[in-house]
Amino acid sequence: MSKHNTSTEPGDYNQETEMAALAAAMSDASRMKILCALMDGRAWTATELSAVAEIAPSTTSAHLSRLVKAKLVTCLSQGRHRYFKLHNSHIAGLLETLMGVTFQASNPSRSRVPTDLLNARTCYDHLAGEVAVKLYDSLVIHDWLKQDGSDLTAQGKEKLLQLGIQINPKTKRKKCCPCLDWSERKFHVGGHLGAALLIFFEERNWVERVIGYREVTITPKGQAELKRHFLI
């Protein structure tokens, strides 16, 4: 007799069934377009998502209801307006992994990805792409980040504090973690540190987001400062 729990009685938890339901909620190209758009970390209106997915508003509403029910997306109400964003960073990580699998498996897809997107983009609330991978490597090489990317070193904490980058010691999420970049197949900085770095870069005008897209532009000032402080 199998040791695995295959019971389907009400109240029983069946992981395989839950996984299948989650996959089913994602198994639509339009819903995937919506999820990928939300990877920029912002909250979008249904109208904006309708435009990016190139589908009718009524269809978008049905898709969003399905995504909210599956806990892939959450709905935020502000007055009469409703906004949608990814449910959490774990969903963003799942999408990033799927992007990596499909990107590596399909040669035609590689040639269709815009160069700017490969260079720098958002991965939910942190920076991804070639620039982000170089940043991760630099932090490790210069002993700011532990070899496994799990935490800052004492020197790293001091250097970032000198730059003005604040790391909340009471954060409930991982302070920092290696996040596998889907286009580079190497790590970039995720977790609380990754989010803090992106906020810092934006506030200092080192990077600029392309509104409505995941692309991130490194400004001339950013190029100079990243080279100065991180040697990239």
Side-chain angles (χ1 to χ4, degrees), residues 22-186:
L22 183 66
M26 301 174 73
S27 63
D28 180 273
S30 294
R31 288 199 289 272
M32 265 301 176
K33 286 183 179 180
I34 290 173
L35 290 170
C36 287
L38 295 175
M39 279 289 285
D40 73 347
R42 298 187 307 121
W44 292 56
T45 65
T47 301
E48 291 170 330
L49 292 170
S50 174
V52 75
E54 300 178 310
I55 53 179
S58 58
T59 305
T60 303
S61 179
H63 283 319
L64 286 170
S65 295
R66 180 76 180 273
L67 293 172
V68 169
K69 184 178 180 180
K71 295 185 178 180
L72 288 164
V73 168
T74 186
C75 179
L76 307 172
S77 297
Q78 188 170 351
R80 293 181 298 173
H81 302 286
R82 294 200 306 164
Y83 298 88
F84 298 87
K85 63 181 301 185
L86 291 183
H87 195 272
N88 53 43
S89 60
H90 297 297
I91 300 303
L94 173 60
L95 292 170
E96 188 80 2
T97 299
L98 287 173
M99 289 174 186
V101 171
T102 55
F103 184 72
Q104 293 301 311
S106 175
N107 288 328
S109 71
R110 297 175 68 89
S111 63
R112 291 197 294 266
V113 178
T115 302
D116 290 343
L117 188 66
L118 298 178
N119 183 57
R121 62 182 180 273
T122 51
C123 176
Y124 191 52
D125 62 356
H126 56 270
L127 195 64
E130 183 181 358
V131 171
V133 166
K134 288 180 178 179
L135 174 61
Y136 179 92
D137 289 343
S138 178
L139 292 174
V140 172
I141 290 170
H142 294 95
D143 197 33
W144 289 27
L145 193 64
K146 291 183 177 180
Q147 288 292 325
D148 62 0
S150 64
D151 201 357
L152 286 165
T153 63
Q155 176 177 273
K157 292 175 183 177
E158 181 182 349
K159 293 290 187 180
L160 291 182
L161 191 59
Q162 290 175 359
L163 277 175
I165 300 175
Q166 298 289 337
I167 304 299
N168 181 4
K170 297 181 179 180
T171 180
K172 293 183 179 180
R173 65 187 299 191
K174 291 182 179 179
K175 290 183 179 179
C176 59
C177 61
C179 182
L180 187 61
D181 196 278
W182 62 257
S183 59
E184 296 296 309
R185 305 309 291 172
K186 295 175 68 178

